Amino acid sequence: MENRFVPAPVDIQETQDEYRLVADMPGVGKDDVQVTMDGSELTVTGHRRSAENTGNYLHRESRNQSFRRTFEIDPSIDTARITA
């Protein structure tokens, strides 16, 4: 099984015109994120790549890892209008 992490905090905001999901994903590039809808589930998946190693680590917490986070979308939301 692949080692996965949950991206740090996710904020979900509601405005008059939209709902906005904002996730902190340090080290994750735009091309390394995918957002999909399956029924009423919105899933954010991706991969974080570590910086190039130019020396010996004395301590390391940041690693190459994949993540997956799923959110249940209320049926009243028009999922055809979801953009990422």
Side-chain angles (χ1 to χ4, degrees), residues 2 5 27-29 32-33 45-49 64-67:
E2 187 176 1
F5 76 98
V28 179
D32 294 325
V33 177
T45 57
H47 188 78
R48 177 174 65 192
R49 301 177 195 285
N64 289 335
Q65 291 180 304
S66 295
F67 64 87

Side-chain angles (χ1 to χ4, degrees), residues 12-20:
I12 301 174
Q13 305 165 340
E14 178 181 10
T15 69
Q16 186 174 0
D17 301 322
E18 67 184 2
Y19 296 96
R20 180 177 299 155

Side-chain angles (χ1 to χ4, degrees), residues 40 72-79:
S40 63
E72 188 74 25
I73 302 298
D74 187 288
S76 67
I77 294 174
D78 183 1
T79 57

Side-chain angles (χ1 to χ4, degrees), residues 23-36:
D24 293 331
M25 296 181 277
V28 179
K30 182 179 178 179
D31 294 335
D32 294 325
V33 177
Q34 295 175 336
V35 179
T36 58

